Amino acid sequence: MKERWLFWTMVALLLIPVWSVAYIPTTDGPSHIYNAWILRQYANTQEYPLFEQYYEIDWRPIPNWLSHAALTLLMFPFDPRTAEKVLLSGYVILLAGAARFLAGSTDRSWLAWLALPLIYNQLLHLGFYNFCLSIGFCLLAVGTWWRHRDRPTLGLAVKLNLLLLLCWFSHIVSLVLALMTIGVLWLVTLRGRPL
């Protein structure tokens, strides 16, 4: 119990860099903010009449939509800078929580500590928000399958497919990684179990 509190205290400390600066120094982050701001203002034709004329929203269910959609929704209650900070705070909590969930699935919760130094990585600093979010969903999907691998149910199928759908909308690489990991683990643990 004490170790869990210490872990989440460390995660809270990892949020300090996000909230202690005026602007998050990433390469692609401003592009994500700008795209989300356009989505937020798209229907506001009184103030921005040219948006509908020069921009077209692609509603197809393609990957890399999640961060834009989340930032757009966060821009309703928050200004763009705060919306980005809330999104990145969610990423830090998601990745730490997903690592703890997966590590706890193997009864080795201490392994989640190894993920904490990796939260602020090169891909985050490049502003690849979708990919960074997708890593957390990938870990959750693998952990969910691992915990319930011996008793698959319809509920497991629904949970797993929702997590894989979140992987799809954030980044296709993490979806493929989650599917491959689940497939390999299924094959490795297949011996001695009924199909």
Side-chain angles (χ1 to χ4, degrees), residues 69-141:
L71 281 169
T72 301
L73 292 174
L74 287 170
M75 284 186 191
F76 282 96
F78 303 114
D79 64 282
R81 282 192 299 169
T82 306
E84 182 183 28
K85 290 179 180 191
V86 171
L87 179 77
L88 291 181
S89 298
Y91 154 72
V92 169
I93 294 167
L94 171 68
L95 188 58
R100 186 152 182 96
F101 180 77
L102 179 59
S105 300
T106 63
D107 297 325
R108 292 178 179 92
S109 295
W110 62 269
L111 287 172
W113 286 89
L114 299 176
L116 296 183
L118 303 175
I119 286 178
Y120 291 109
N121 54 59
Q122 180 70 25
L123 296 173
L124 180 67
H125 290 291
L126 288 173
F128 297 167
Y129 294 165
N130 283 303
F131 183 76
C132 291
L133 289 168
S134 73
I135 295 169
F137 297 127
C138 177
L139 295 177
L140 286 174

Side-chain angles (χ1 to χ4, degrees), residues 177-192:
L177 183 62
L179 290 172
M180 287 175 48
T181 303
I182 290 169
V184 167
L185 288 173
W186 178 74
L187 286 173
V188 169
T189 60
L190 188 59
R191 175 181 277 174

Side-chain angles (χ1 to χ4, degrees), residues 10 16 18 34 40 54 76-77 79 114 117 148 155 184 190 192:
M10 183 58 106
I16 292 172
V18 173
Y34 182 67
R40 163 72 171 89
Y54 289 101
F76 282 96
D79 64 282
L114 299 176
H148 305 287
V184 167
L190 188 59

Side-chain angles (χ1 to χ4, degrees), residues 28-37 67-68 71 75 127-130:
D28 283 358
S31 297
H32 291 291
I33 298 299
Y34 182 67
N35 290 339
W37 181 78
S67 73
H68 292 91
L71 281 169
M75 284 186 191
F128 297 167
Y129 294 165
N130 283 303

